[in-house]
């Protein structure tokens, strides 16, 4: 259930094309500093991603190491509902490694901006030659190939057009618009996707792959979808190098709740998936993070507690949408409504005239410990309050 009002329906475009979600947690996500996922963990996470309804899973970069090759090969044999993809540079040997892992779909990447070419010591003509060779090899082997234009958001547009054109002529079926350093505004992301669409027509499916260096990855992904992108790349929790990638499940939530365009994602599985990934990858997320943050459906303030019985007054979507539970917690910012609700929740009998004093004690304890008051501590406060005179609570 979404409670987002009607303004989005008034101003947002109707999405007439399907939107697929392409997960790259096992490859681009693992590039987060200090994260190392072994083959068993990648297989487990691939199963969880599949159960969560992701359309495509990038199993990894087989040529980078023997362990990565093993993980990709094992994931390819799982018989998942999701389509399993590999990742390769524009080198024939990389594409061969994807094939040897048993995968029939692959991204082929090549740098296209002047600064990237300079960093790699490559000329534009050499890159175009590599694109033609690597993509052509994969296509001749019957693979589905998507060409991934690294740093396309900072490329000269004419060279970018040439690179995409060479890839299509060599046999690529799909094109990836790539904001490698997360430098695009939503408007610019939409412009670039529309531009590529105008160059090559609606028969060529376009992907969007964006990073989060300016905190805009979800916004640029949605702008790309509005502009015609059929596939959005992202990771669980937005995990990835530097500031990370687009959070794939945030994109799915926004498509369903704001655009009225549900994807195949089972959003109620996202918290389980996020917790498991954090466990094996060894990172934490901020408690206020959308979808998976600990505070998403926890309420402390008294003003909000007064509205707790009407969830749509204080939340944009139901906790059940993302498999969470609503909770009221006590602390410095609690009010009398908080005390009443918590007493009802815990089955504690406290007369109305005593609740103000109890609230004061809750606030005092919260300030002293600089944190929330647990249910156990609240029970102790209730038990320690001065007993009421006989008959005050309805007794004899």
């Amino acid at each position: 259930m979404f409670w987002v009002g009607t303004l989005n329906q008034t101003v947002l475009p109707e999405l007439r094309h399907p939107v697929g979600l392409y997960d790259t947690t096992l490859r681009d996500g693992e590039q987060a500093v200090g994260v190392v996922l072994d083959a068993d963990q990648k297989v487990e996470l691939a199963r969880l991603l599949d159960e969560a309804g992701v359309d495509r899973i990038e199993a990894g970069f087989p040529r980078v190491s023997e362990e990565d090759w093993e993980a990709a090969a094992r994931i390819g044999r799982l018989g998942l509902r999701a389509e399993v993809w590999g990742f390769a540079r524009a080198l024939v040997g990389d594409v061969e490694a994807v094939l040897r892992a048993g995968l029939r779909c692959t991204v082929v990447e090549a740098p296209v901006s002047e600064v990237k070419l300079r960093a790699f010591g490559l000329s534009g003509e050499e890159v175009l030659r590599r694109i033609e060779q690597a993509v052509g090899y994969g296509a001749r082997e019957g693979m589905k190939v998507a060409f991934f234009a690294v740093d396309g958001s900072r490329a000269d547009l004419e060279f970018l057009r040439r690179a995409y054109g060479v890839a299509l002529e060599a046999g690529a079926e799909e094109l990836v618009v790539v904001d490698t350093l997360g430098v695009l505004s939503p408007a610019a992301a939409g412009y670039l996707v529309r531009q590529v669409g105008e160059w090559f027509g609606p028969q060529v499916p376009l992907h969007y792959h964006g990073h989060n260096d300016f905190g805009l990855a979800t916004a640029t992904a949605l702008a790309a979808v509005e502009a015609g992108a059929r596939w959005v790349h992202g990771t669980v929790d937005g995990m990835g190098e530097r500031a990370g990638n687009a959070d794939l499940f945030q994109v799915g939530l926004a498509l369903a709740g704001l655009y009225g365009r549900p994807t195949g994602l089972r959003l109620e599985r996202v918290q389980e998936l996020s917790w498991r990934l954090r466990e094996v990858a060894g990172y934490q997320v901020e408690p206020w993070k959308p979808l998976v943050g600990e505070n998403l459906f926890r309420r402390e303030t008294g003003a909000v507690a007064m509205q707790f019985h009407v969830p749509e007054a204080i939340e944009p979507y139901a906790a059940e949408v993302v498999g969470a539970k609503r909770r009221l917690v006590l602390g410095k910012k609690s009010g009398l409504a908080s005390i009443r609700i918590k007493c009802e929740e815990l089955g504690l009998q406290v007369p109305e005239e005593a609740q103000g004093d109890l609230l004061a004690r809750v606030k005092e304890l919260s300030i002293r410990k600089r944190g929330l008051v647990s249910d156990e501590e609240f029970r102790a406060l209730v038990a320690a309050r001065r007993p009421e005179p006989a008959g005050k609570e309805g007794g004899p």
Side-chain angles (χ1 to χ4, degrees):
M1 294 180 287
F2 293 95
W3 306 304
V4 297
T6 60
L7 189 57
N8 288 312
Q9 300 170 15
T10 303
V11 301
L12 290 176
E14 182 182 355
L15 301 181
R16 300 183 181 276
H17 55 277
V19 181
L21 298 178
Y22 179 113
D23 185 88
T24 181
T25 302
L26 306 182
R27 197 272 307 173
D28 211 347
E30 194 190 16
Q31 291 184 13
V33 172
V35 173
V36 179
L37 302 174
D38 64 31
D40 288 340
Q41 290 167 338
K42 288 187 176 183
V43 168
E44 178 191 0
L45 291 168
R47 289 187 187 276
L48 291 174
L49 287 164
D50 188 57
E51 291 168 3
V54 169
D55 299 292
R56 291 178 173 177
I57 297 172
E58 193 171 87
F61 186 176
R63 202 180 185 193
V64 75
S65 72
E66 185 62 31
E67 187 171 66
D68 286 79
W69 184 92
E70 178 193 350
R74 287 174 59 186
I75 292 169
R77 295 194 298 267
L78 290 176
L80 302 179
R81 177 203 53 81
E83 195 171 59
V84 180
W85 283 60
F87 187 87
R89 295 165 298 184
L91 298 170
V92 170
D94 281 20
V95 181
E96 286 177 335
V98 175
L99 268 176
R100 285 191 291 103
L103 306 183
R104 306 300 301 176
C105 305
T106 192
V107 161
V108 171
E109 71 153 17
V112 294
S113 68
E114 189 278 333
V115 65
K116 286 290 188 183
L117 295 178
R118 187 170 73 249
F120 284 114
L122 295 170
S123 68
E125 293 306 314
E126 172 63 16
V127 165
L128 295 178
R129 184 185 67 80
R130 292 186 181 190
I131 293 169
E132 182 178 25
Q133 290 179 341
V135 171
Y137 173 78
R140 287 190 298 275
E141 292 294 325
M143 301 181 76
K144 181 189 295 185
V145 178
F147 173 63
F148 188 102
V150 176
D151 208 22
S153 55
R154 297 193 299 171
D156 173 79
L157 289 184
E158 184 52 40
F159 184 75
L160 181 64
R161 181 174 184 171
R162 287 183 65 195
Y164 281 139
V166 167
L168 289 173
E169 289 176 11
E173 299 178 32
E174 302 176 4
L175 301 176
V176 188
V177 176
V178 187
D179 186 16
T180 300
L181 296 182
V183 300
L184 293 180
S185 70
Y191 170 82
L192 186 56
V193 170
R194 280 191 297 274
Q195 182 65 79
V196 178
E198 290 172 6
W199 289 340
F200 302 108
Q203 71 278 7
V204 179
L206 300 182
H207 302 215
Y208 180 78
H209 180 109
H211 284 256
N212 201 40
D213 295 76
F214 283 86
L216 293 172
T218 297
T220 56
L222 293 169
V225 168
E226 289 184 20
R230 303 295 182 97
W231 292 94
V232 173
H233 292 208
T235 62
V236 177
D237 293 338
M239 184 173 77
E241 192 175 10
R242 304 185 317 278
N245 294 259
D247 185 320
L248 198 64
F249 285 80
Q250 282 186 17
V251 173
L253 179 72
L255 287 171
L258 304 181
Y259 290 78
R261 187 71 176 185
T263 65
L265 287 183
R266 296 180 60 191
L267 292 168
E268 72 278 8
R269 300 295 299 273
V270 65
Q271 294 214 351
E272 173 193 358
L273 176 54
S274 171
W275 275 109
R276 182 55 183 151
L277 179 60
R278 280 180 260 168
E279 187 176 34
V280 299
Y283 69 93
Q284 299 296 321
V285 298
E286 59 268 42
W288 45 82
K289 184 175 176 64
L291 274 82
V292 298
E294 184 181 10
N295 289 348
L296 190 59
F297 292 98
R298 292 202 306 174
R299 301 289 179 261
E300 180 187 352
T301 60
V304 172
M306 292 176 63
Q307 309 167 66
F308 200 69
H309 61 294
V310 184
E312 57 267 38
I314 55 176
E315 295 158 3
Y317 50 88
E320 293 79 12
V321 170
V322 295
K325 292 184 179 180
R326 303 178 72 240
R327 292 182 55 207
L328 185 136
V329 294
L330 299 177
K332 174 187 174 182
K333 297 176 285 294
S334 295
L336 285 172
S338 309
I339 299 299
R340 175 181 53 79
I341 294 170
K342 183 57 72 172
C343 285
E344 292 174 357
E345 177 188 320
L346 299 178
L348 301 174
Q349 300 298 317
V350 178
E352 185 175 343
E353 58 269 24
Q355 292 179 8
D357 178 68
L358 186 55
L359 174 61
R361 293 173 183 272
V362 165
K363 288 177 176 288
E364 179 186 2
L365 176 57
S366 177
I367 292 170
R368 188 167 69 247
K369 67 180 291 192
R370 303 186 68 81
L372 295 176
V373 174
S374 69
D375 288 352
E376 292 72 21
E377 289 169 330
F378 182 66
R379 289 179 188 275
L381 289 176
V382 171
R385 71 184 179 87
R386 291 189 298 272
E388 299 295 332
K392 197 72 179 259
E393 296 184 80

